[in-house]
Amino acid sequence: MLYIFDLGNVVVDIDFNRVLGVWSDLSGVPLATLQSRFSMDSAFEQHERGEISDPDFAERLCEQLDVALSYAQFTAGWQAVFIGVRPETLKIMQQLRARGERVVILSNTNQLHVEFWPLHYPEVEQAADHIYMSQDIGMRKPEARIFNYVLEREGVSAADAIFFDDNQANIDAARALGIHSVLVKDSTTVPEWFAAHGQR
């Protein structure tokens, strides 16, 4: 069986309000104003596919938010999204691998984040057989092609894969391909699913 885990809010806790909070402090623009201006637009998606550079994305996002930030300030806020790992989920991933199951991470991400979290959370890479990152392969969830890419690379059928993600659109896309998919609502979802399926 192939177990596919999303990264953010599945293996590692994240909170985008932390990003906007740092930018608010640095720019003097109220947090609520930044929250109202922010959206995951086409530039956001292009960045996650690796189609535009980090500096270009920073410039576009600063324009969207109407804030004046240096690239260093932008980066300081961008990396503040990470809170910490979910140890119970990591433990399950390690247990799965120990009994011979295949465990991978499939994450919509970007170069800046890839430069950050592996250094701060090396245990994540140690708990996975492989990490598929959107910006490396030029695709992102919920595009069907990214799921097909992972299945093909892993040499398994959709029926032999289980996918954990916190985004309903990603879950729906995976289910449409026949992948058993579990919507992760909080840090208890993954441990409770494995306990209920007698896999702890």
Coordinates of all heavy atoms in Angstrom, one line a residue, residues 57-135:
F57 N 7.6 36.5 -7.2 CA 6.4 36.2 -6.5 C 6.3 37.3 -5.3 O 5.2 37.8 -5.0 CB 6.4 34.8 -5.9 CG 5.3 34.5 -5.0 CD1 4.0 34.5 -5.5 CD2 5.5 34.3 -3.6 CE1 2.9 34.3 -4.6 CE2 4.4 34.1 -2.8 CZ 3.1 34.0 -3.3
A58 N 7.4 37.5 -4.7 CA 7.4 38.5 -3.6 C 6.9 39.9 -4.1 O 6.1 40.5 -3.4 CB 8.8 38.6 -2.9
E59 N 7.4 40.3 -5.2 CA 7.0 41.6 -5.8 C 5.5 41.6 -6.1 O 4.8 42.6 -5.8 CB 7.8 41.8 -7.0 CG 7.5 43.2 -7.7 CD 8.4 43.4 -8.9 OE1 9.4 42.7 -9.1 OE2 8.1 44.4 -9.6
R60 N 5.0 40.5 -6.7 CA 3.6 40.5 -7.0 C 2.7 40.5 -5.8 O 1.7 41.1 -5.8 CB 3.3 39.2 -7.9 CG 3.9 39.2 -9.3 CD 3.3 38.2 -10.1 NE 4.1 37.8 -11.3 CZ 3.7 37.0 -12.3 NH1 2.5 36.5 -12.2 NH2 4.5 36.7 -13.3
L61 N 3.1 39.7 -4.8 CA 2.3 39.6 -3.6 C 2.3 40.9 -2.8 O 1.3 41.4 -2.3 CB 2.8 38.5 -2.7 CG 1.8 38.1 -1.5 CD1 0.4 37.9 -2.0 CD2 2.3 36.8 -0.9
C62 N 3.4 41.6 -2.8 CA 3.5 42.9 -2.1 C 2.6 43.9 -2.9 O 2.0 44.8 -2.2 CB 4.9 43.4 -2.1 SG 6.0 42.6 -0.8
E63 N 2.5 43.8 -4.2 CA 1.6 44.7 -5.0 C 0.2 44.4 -4.6 O -0.6 45.3 -4.4 CB 1.9 44.5 -6.5 CG 3.2 45.1 -7.0 CD 3.4 44.8 -8.4 OE1 2.5 44.1 -9.1 OE2 4.4 45.2 -9.0
Q64 N -0.1 43.1 -4.5 CA -1.5 42.7 -4.2 C -1.9 43.2 -2.8 O -3.0 43.7 -2.6 CB -1.6 41.1 -4.2 CG -3.0 40.6 -3.8 CD -3.0 39.1 -3.6 OE1 -3.2 38.6 -2.5 NE2 -2.7 38.3 -4.6
L65 N -1.0 43.1 -1.9 CA -1.3 43.5 -0.5 C -1.1 45.0 -0.3 O -1.5 45.6 0.7 CB -0.4 42.8 0.5 CG -0.5 41.2 0.5 CD1 0.6 40.6 1.4 CD2 -1.9 40.8 1.0
D66 N -0.5 45.7 -1.3 CA -0.1 47.1 -1.2 C 0.7 47.4 0.0 O 0.4 48.3 0.9 CB -1.4 47.9 -1.2 CG -1.2 49.4 -1.5 OD1 -0.1 49.7 -2.0 OD2 -2.0 50.2 -1.1
V67 N 1.8 46.6 0.2 CA 2.7 46.9 1.3 C 4.1 47.0 0.7 O 4.5 46.4 -0.3 CB 2.7 45.7 2.3 CG1 1.4 45.7 3.0 CG2 3.0 44.4 1.6
A68 N 4.9 47.8 1.4 CA 6.3 48.0 1.0 C 7.2 47.2 1.9 O 7.4 47.6 3.1 CB 6.7 49.5 1.1
L69 N 7.7 46.1 1.4 CA 8.6 45.2 2.1 C 9.8 44.9 1.3 O 9.8 44.7 0.1 CB 7.9 43.9 2.5 CG 6.6 43.9 3.3 CD1 6.0 42.5 3.3 CD2 6.9 44.3 4.8
S70 N 11.0 44.8 2.0 CA 12.2 44.4 1.3 C 12.0 42.9 1.1 O 11.2 42.2 1.7 CB 13.4 44.7 2.2 OG 13.4 43.9 3.3
Y71 N 12.9 42.3 0.3 CA 12.8 40.9 0.0 C 13.1 40.1 1.3 O 12.5 39.1 1.6 CB 13.8 40.5 -1.1 CG 13.7 39.0 -1.5 CD1 12.5 38.5 -2.0 CD2 14.8 38.2 -1.3 CE1 12.4 37.1 -2.3 CE2 14.7 36.8 -1.6 CZ 13.5 36.3 -2.1 OH 13.4 35.0 -2.4
A72 N 14.0 40.6 2.1 CA 14.4 40.0 3.4 C 13.2 40.0 4.3 O 12.9 39.0 5.0 CB 15.6 40.7 4.0
Q73 N 12.5 41.1 4.3 CA 11.3 41.2 5.2 C 10.2 40.3 4.7 O 9.5 39.6 5.5 CB 10.8 42.7 5.2 CG 11.7 43.6 6.0 CD 11.2 45.1 5.9 OE1 10.7 45.5 4.8 NE2 11.4 45.8 6.9
F74 N 10.0 40.2 3.4 CA 9.0 39.3 2.8 C 9.3 37.9 3.2 O 8.5 37.1 3.7 CB 9.0 39.4 1.3 CG 8.1 38.4 0.6 CD1 6.8 38.7 0.4 CD2 8.6 37.2 0.2 CE1 6.0 37.8 -0.2 CE2 7.8 36.2 -0.4 CZ 6.5 36.6 -0.6
T75 N 10.6 37.5 3.1 CA 11.0 36.1 3.4 C 10.8 35.8 4.9 O 10.4 34.7 5.3 CB 12.5 35.9 3.1 OG1 12.7 36.2 1.7 CG2 13.0 34.5 3.4
A76 N 11.1 36.8 5.8 CA 11.0 36.6 7.2 C 9.5 36.3 7.5 O 9.2 35.4 8.4 CB 11.4 37.8 8.0
G77 N 8.6 37.0 6.9 CA 7.2 36.7 7.1 C 6.8 35.4 6.5 O 6.0 34.6 7.1
W78 N 7.2 35.1 5.3 CA 6.8 33.9 4.5 C 7.2 32.6 5.3 O 6.5 31.6 5.3 CB 7.5 33.9 3.2 CG 7.0 33.0 2.1 CD1 7.6 31.9 1.6 CD2 5.7 32.9 1.6 NE1 6.8 31.3 0.7 CE2 5.6 31.9 0.7 CE3 4.5 33.7 1.8 CZ2 4.4 31.6 -0.1 CZ3 3.4 33.4 1.1 CH2 3.3 32.4 0.2
Q79 N 8.4 32.6 6.0 CA 8.8 31.5 6.7 C 8.1 31.3 8.1 O 8.3 30.3 8.7 CB 10.3 31.5 6.9 CG 11.1 31.7 5.6 CD 11.0 30.6 4.5 OE1 9.9 30.1 4.4 NE2 12.1 30.3 3.8
A80 N 7.4 32.4 8.5 CA 6.8 32.3 9.8 C 5.5 31.4 9.8 O 4.9 31.2 10.8 CB 6.4 33.7 10.2
V81 N 5.2 30.9 8.6 CA 4.0 30.1 8.5 C 4.1 28.8 9.3 O 3.1 28.2 9.7 CB 3.7 29.7 7.0 CG1 4.7 28.8 6.4 CG2 2.3 29.2 6.8
F82 N 5.3 28.3 9.5 CA 5.5 27.0 10.2 C 5.5 27.1 11.7 O 6.1 28.0 12.3 CB 6.9 26.4 9.7 CG 7.0 26.1 8.3 CD1 7.7 27.0 7.4 CD2 6.4 25.1 7.7 CE1 7.8 26.8 6.1 CE2 6.5 24.8 6.3 CZ 7.2 25.7 5.5
I83 N 4.7 26.2 12.3 CA 4.6 26.2 13.8 C 5.4 25.0 14.3 O 6.2 25.2 15.3 CB 3.1 26.0 14.2 CG1 2.3 27.2 13.6 CG2 3.0 25.9 15.7 CD1 0.8 27.0 13.8
G84 N 5.3 23.8 13.8 CA 6.0 22.7 14.4 C 5.4 21.4 13.8 O 4.3 21.4 13.2
V85 N 6.1 20.3 14.1 CA 5.7 19.0 13.5 C 4.5 18.4 14.4 O 4.3 18.8 15.5 CB 6.8 18.0 13.5 CG1 7.9 18.5 12.6 CG2 7.4 17.7 14.9
R86 N 3.8 17.5 13.8 CA 2.8 16.7 14.5 C 3.5 15.3 14.8 O 3.5 14.4 14.0 CB 1.6 16.5 13.6 CG 0.8 17.8 13.4 CD -0.5 17.6 12.7 NE -1.2 18.9 12.6 CZ -2.4 19.0 12.1 NH1 -3.0 18.0 11.5 NH2 -3.0 20.2 12.1
P87 N 4.0 15.2 16.0 CA 4.7 13.9 16.4 C 4.0 12.6 16.2 O 4.6 11.6 15.8 CB 5.2 14.2 17.8 CG 4.3 15.3 18.3 CD 3.9 16.1 17.2
E88 N 2.7 12.7 16.5 CA 1.9 11.4 16.3 C 1.8 11.0 14.9 O 1.9 9.8 14.6 CB 0.5 11.6 16.9 CG 0.4 11.5 18.4 CD 0.7 10.0 18.8 OE1 0.1 9.1 18.3 OE2 1.6 9.9 19.7
T89 N 1.7 11.9 14.0 CA 1.6 11.6 12.6 C 3.0 11.1 12.1 O 3.1 10.1 11.4 CB 1.2 12.8 11.7 OG1 -0.1 13.2 12.1 CG2 1.2 12.4 10.2
L90 N 4.1 11.7 12.5 CA 5.4 11.2 12.2 C 5.6 9.8 12.7 O 6.2 9.0 12.0 CB 6.5 12.2 12.8 CG 6.7 13.5 12.0 CD1 7.7 14.3 12.8 CD2 7.2 13.3 10.6
K91 N 5.2 9.6 13.9 CA 5.3 8.2 14.5 C 4.6 7.2 13.6 O 5.2 6.1 13.4 CB 4.8 8.2 15.9 CG 4.9 6.9 16.6 CD 4.4 7.0 18.0 CE 4.5 5.6 18.8 NZ 3.9 5.7 20.1
I92 N 3.4 7.5 13.2 CA 2.7 6.6 12.3 C 3.4 6.3 11.0 O 3.5 5.2 10.5 CB 1.3 7.1 12.1 CG1 0.4 7.1 13.4 CG2 0.6 6.4 10.9 CD1 -0.9 7.8 13.3
M93 N 3.9 7.4 10.4 CA 4.7 7.3 9.2 C 5.9 6.3 9.3 O 6.1 5.5 8.5 CB 5.1 8.6 8.7 CG 4.0 9.5 8.2 SD 4.5 11.3 8.0 CE 5.5 11.1 6.6
Q94 N 6.6 6.5 10.5 CA 7.7 5.7 10.7 C 7.3 4.2 11.0 O 8.0 3.3 10.5 CB 8.4 6.2 12.0 CG 9.1 7.5 11.7 CD 9.5 8.3 13.0 OE1 9.0 8.0 14.1 NE2 10.3 9.3 12.9
Q95 N 6.2 4.0 11.6 CA 5.7 2.6 11.9 C 5.3 2.0 10.5 O 5.5 0.8 10.3 CB 4.5 2.7 12.8 CG 4.9 3.0 14.2 CD 3.6 3.3 15.1 OE1 2.5 3.5 14.6 NE2 3.8 3.2 16.4
L96 N 4.7 2.7 9.7 CA 4.3 2.2 8.3 C 5.5 1.7 7.6 O 5.5 0.6 7.0 CB 3.5 3.3 7.5 CG 2.1 3.6 8.0 CD1 1.6 4.8 7.3 CD2 1.2 2.4 7.8
R97 N 6.5 2.6 7.6 CA 7.7 2.2 6.8 C 8.4 1.0 7.5 O 9.0 0.1 6.8 CB 8.7 3.4 6.8 CG 8.2 4.6 6.0 CD 9.2 5.7 6.0 NE 10.4 5.3 5.2 CZ 11.6 5.8 5.3 NH1 11.8 6.8 6.2 NH2 12.6 5.5 4.5
A98 N 8.4 0.9 8.8 CA 9.0 -0.2 9.5 C 8.4 -1.5 9.1 O 9.1 -2.6 9.1 CB 9.0 0.0 11.0
R99 N 7.2 -1.5 8.8 CA 6.5 -2.8 8.4 C 6.5 -3.0 6.9 O 5.8 -3.8 6.3 CB 5.2 -2.9 9.0 CG 4.1 -2.0 8.5 CD 2.8 -2.4 9.1 NE 1.7 -1.8 8.4 CZ 0.7 -1.1 9.0 NH1 0.7 -0.9 10.3 NH2 -0.3 -0.6 8.3
G100 N 7.2 -2.1 6.1 CA 7.4 -2.3 4.7 C 6.4 -1.6 3.8 O 6.4 -1.8 2.6
E101 N 5.6 -0.7 4.4 CA 4.7 0.1 3.5 C 5.5 1.3 2.9 O 6.5 1.7 3.5 CB 3.6 0.7 4.4 CG 2.8 -0.4 5.1 CD 1.9 -1.3 4.2 OE1 1.9 -1.1 3.0 OE2 1.1 -2.1 4.8
R102 N 5.0 1.8 1.8 CA 5.6 2.9 1.1 C 4.9 4.2 1.6 O 3.7 4.3 1.6 CB 5.5 2.7 -0.4 CG 6.1 3.8 -1.2 CD 7.6 3.7 -1.3 NE 8.1 4.7 -2.2 CZ 9.4 5.0 -2.4 NH1 10.3 4.3 -1.7 NH2 9.8 5.9 -3.3
V103 N 5.7 5.2 2.1 CA 5.2 6.4 2.6 C 5.8 7.6 1.9 O 7.1 7.7 1.8 CB 5.5 6.5 4.1 CG1 5.1 7.9 4.7 CG2 4.9 5.4 4.9
V104 N 5.0 8.5 1.3 CA 5.5 9.6 0.6 C 4.8 10.9 1.0 O 3.6 10.8 1.6 CB 5.4 9.5 -0.9 CG1 6.2 8.3 -1.4 CG2 4.0 9.4 -1.4
I105 N 5.4 12.0 0.8 CA 4.7 13.3 1.1 C 4.5 14.0 -0.3 O 5.3 13.9 -1.2 CB 5.6 14.2 1.9 CG1 5.6 13.7 3.4 CG2 5.1 15.7 1.9 CD1 6.6 14.4 4.3
L106 N 3.3 14.5 -0.5 CA 2.9 15.3 -1.7 C 2.5 16.7 -1.2 O 1.4 16.8 -0.6 CB 1.8 14.6 -2.4 CG 1.3 15.3 -3.7 CD1 2.3 15.6 -4.7 CD2 0.1 14.5 -4.3
S107 N 3.3 17.7 -1.5 CA 3.0 19.0 -1.0 C 3.0 20.1 -2.1 O 3.9 20.1 -2.9 CB 4.1 19.4 0.0 OG 4.0 20.7 0.5
N108 N 2.0 21.0 -2.0 CA 2.1 22.2 -2.8 C 3.0 23.1 -2.0 O 2.7 23.5 -0.9 CB 0.7 22.8 -2.9 CG -0.2 22.1 -3.9 OD1 0.2 21.3 -4.6 ND2 -1.5 22.5 -3.9
T109 N 4.1 23.5 -2.6 CA 5.1 24.3 -1.9 C 5.8 25.2 -2.8 O 5.4 25.4 -3.9 CB 6.1 23.3 -1.1 OG1 6.9 24.1 -0.2 CG2 6.9 22.5 -2.0
N110 N 6.9 25.7 -2.4 CA 7.7 26.7 -3.2 C 9.2 26.7 -2.7 O 9.5 26.1 -1.6 CB 7.1 28.1 -3.0 CG 7.0 28.5 -1.6 OD1 8.0 29.0 -1.0 ND2 5.8 28.3 -1.0
Q111 N 10.0 27.3 -3.5 CA 11.5 27.2 -3.2 C 11.8 27.7 -1.8 O 12.6 27.2 -1.1 CB 12.3 27.8 -4.2 CG 13.8 27.6 -4.1 CD 14.2 26.1 -4.2 OE1 13.6 25.4 -5.0 NE2 15.1 25.7 -3.3
L112 N 11.2 28.9 -1.4 CA 11.5 29.5 -0.1 C 11.2 28.5 1.0 O 12.0 28.4 2.0 CB 10.8 30.8 0.0 CG 11.4 32.0 -0.6 CD1 10.4 33.2 -0.5 CD2 12.8 32.3 0.0
H113 N 10.1 27.9 1.0 CA 9.7 27.0 2.0 C 10.6 25.7 2.0 O 10.9 25.2 3.1 CB 8.2 26.6 1.9 CG 7.3 27.7 2.4 ND1 5.9 27.7 2.1 CD2 7.6 28.8 3.1 CE1 5.4 28.8 2.6 NE2 6.4 29.5 3.3
V114 N 11.0 25.3 0.8 CA 11.8 24.1 0.7 C 13.2 24.4 1.3 O 13.9 23.5 1.8 CB 11.9 23.6 -0.7 CG1 13.0 22.6 -0.9 CG2 10.6 23.1 -1.2
E115 N 13.6 25.6 1.3 CA 14.9 26.0 1.9 C 14.8 26.1 3.4 O 15.8 26.1 4.1 CB 15.3 27.4 1.3 CG 15.7 27.3 -0.1 CD 16.0 28.7 -0.7 OE1 15.8 29.7 0.0 OE2 16.3 28.8 -1.9
F116 N 13.6 26.1 3.9 CA 13.3 26.4 5.4 C 13.0 25.1 6.2 O 13.8 24.7 7.1 CB 12.2 27.4 5.6 CG 12.0 27.7 7.0 CD1 12.6 28.8 7.6 CD2 11.0 27.0 7.7 CE1 12.4 29.1 8.9 CE2 10.8 27.4 9.1 CZ 11.5 28.4 9.7
W117 N 11.9 24.4 5.8 CA 11.4 23.4 6.7 C 12.3 22.1 6.8 O 12.4 21.6 7.9 CB 10.0 23.0 6.4 CG 9.7 22.3 5.1 CD1 9.3 22.8 3.9 CD2 9.9 20.9 4.8 NE1 9.2 21.9 2.9 CE2 9.6 20.7 3.5 CE3 10.3 19.8 5.6 CZ2 9.6 19.4 2.9 CZ3 10.4 18.6 5.0 CH2 10.1 18.4 3.6
P118 N 13.0 21.7 5.7 CA 13.9 20.5 5.9 C 15.0 20.8 7.0 O 15.5 19.9 7.6 CB 14.5 20.3 4.5 CG 13.5 20.9 3.6 CD 13.0 22.1 4.3
L119 N 15.5 22.0 7.1 CA 16.5 22.4 8.0 C 16.0 22.4 9.5 O 16.6 22.0 10.4 CB 17.1 23.8 7.7 CG 17.9 23.9 6.4 CD1 18.3 25.3 6.2 CD2 19.1 23.0 6.5
H120 N 14.7 22.8 9.6 CA 14.1 22.9 10.9 C 13.4 21.7 11.4 O 13.3 21.4 12.6 CB 13.2 24.1 11.0 CG 13.9 25.5 10.9 ND1 14.3 26.0 9.7 CD2 14.2 26.4 11.8 CE1 14.9 27.1 9.9 NE2 14.8 27.4 11.2
Y121 N 13.0 20.9 10.4 CA 12.2 19.7 10.8 C 12.8 18.5 10.0 O 12.1 17.9 9.2 CB 10.7 19.8 10.4 CG 10.1 21.1 11.0 CD1 9.5 22.0 10.1 CD2 10.2 21.4 12.3 CE1 8.9 23.1 10.5 CE2 9.6 22.6 12.8 CZ 9.0 23.4 11.9 OH 8.4 24.6 12.4
P122 N 14.1 18.1 10.2 CA 14.7 17.0 9.5 C 14.0 15.7 9.7 O 14.1 14.8 8.9 CB 16.1 17.0 10.0 CG 16.1 17.7 11.4 CD 15.0 18.7 11.2
E123 N 13.3 15.6 10.8 CA 12.6 14.3 11.1 C 11.5 14.0 10.1 O 11.1 12.9 9.9 CB 12.0 14.4 12.5 CG 11.0 15.5 12.8 CD 11.6 16.7 13.4 OE1 12.6 17.2 12.8 OE2 11.0 17.3 14.3
V124 N 11.0 15.1 9.4 CA 10.0 14.9 8.4 C 10.5 14.1 7.2 O 10.0 13.1 6.8 CB 9.4 16.2 7.9 CG1 8.4 16.0 6.7 CG2 8.7 16.9 9.0
E125 N 11.7 14.5 6.7 CA 12.3 13.7 5.6 C 12.7 12.3 6.0 O 12.6 11.4 5.2 CB 13.5 14.5 5.1 CG 13.2 15.7 4.3 CD 14.4 16.3 3.7 OE1 15.3 16.8 4.4 OE2 14.5 16.4 2.4
Q126 N 13.1 12.2 7.3 CA 13.5 10.9 7.8 C 12.3 9.9 7.9 O 12.5 8.7 7.9 CB 14.1 11.0 9.2 CG 15.5 11.8 9.1 CD 15.9 12.3 10.4 OE1 15.3 12.0 11.5 NE2 17.0 13.1 10.5
A127 N 11.0 10.5 7.9 CA 9.9 9.6 8.1 C 9.2 9.3 6.8 O 8.2 8.5 6.7 CB 8.8 10.3 9.0
A128 N 9.8 9.7 5.7 CA 9.2 9.5 4.3 C 10.2 8.8 3.4 O 11.4 9.1 3.5 CB 8.7 10.8 3.7
D129 N 9.6 8.0 2.5 CA 10.5 7.3 1.5 C 10.8 8.3 0.4 O 11.9 8.2 -0.2 CB 9.8 6.1 0.9 CG 9.6 5.0 1.9 OD1 10.7 4.5 2.4 OD2 8.5 4.6 2.2
H130 N 9.9 9.2 0.1 CA 10.2 10.2 -0.9 C 9.3 11.4 -0.7 O 8.2 11.3 -0.1 CB 9.9 9.6 -2.3 CG 10.3 10.5 -3.4 ND1 11.6 10.5 -3.9 CD2 9.7 11.4 -4.2 CE1 11.8 11.4 -4.9 NE2 10.6 11.9 -5.1
I131 N 9.7 12.6 -1.1 CA 8.9 13.8 -1.0 C 8.7 14.4 -2.4 O 9.7 14.7 -3.1 CB 9.6 14.8 -0.1 CG1 9.8 14.2 1.3 CG2 8.8 16.1 0.0 CD1 10.5 15.2 2.3
Y132 N 7.4 14.5 -2.8 CA 7.1 15.1 -4.1 C 6.6 16.6 -3.8 O 5.6 16.8 -3.1 CB 5.9 14.3 -4.7 CG 6.3 13.0 -5.1 CD1 6.1 11.9 -4.3 CD2 6.9 12.7 -6.4 CE1 6.4 10.6 -4.7 CE2 7.2 11.4 -6.8 CZ 7.0 10.4 -5.9 OH 7.3 9.1 -6.3
M133 N 7.4 17.5 -4.4 CA 7.1 18.9 -4.1 C 6.6 19.6 -5.4 O 7.3 19.4 -6.5 CB 8.3 19.6 -3.6 CG 8.9 19.1 -2.3 SD 10.3 19.9 -1.7 CE 10.7 18.9 -0.3
S134 N 5.5 20.3 -5.4 CA 4.9 20.9 -6.6 C 5.9 21.7 -7.4 O 5.9 21.6 -8.6 CB 3.7 21.7 -6.2 OG 4.1 22.8 -5.3
Q135 N 6.7 22.5 -6.7 CA 7.6 23.4 -7.4 C 8.7 22.7 -8.2 O 9.3 23.2 -9.1 CB 8.1 24.5 -6.5 CG 8.9 23.9 -5.3 CD 10.4 23.9 -5.5 OE1 10.9 24.6 -6.3 NE2 11.0 23.1 -4.7

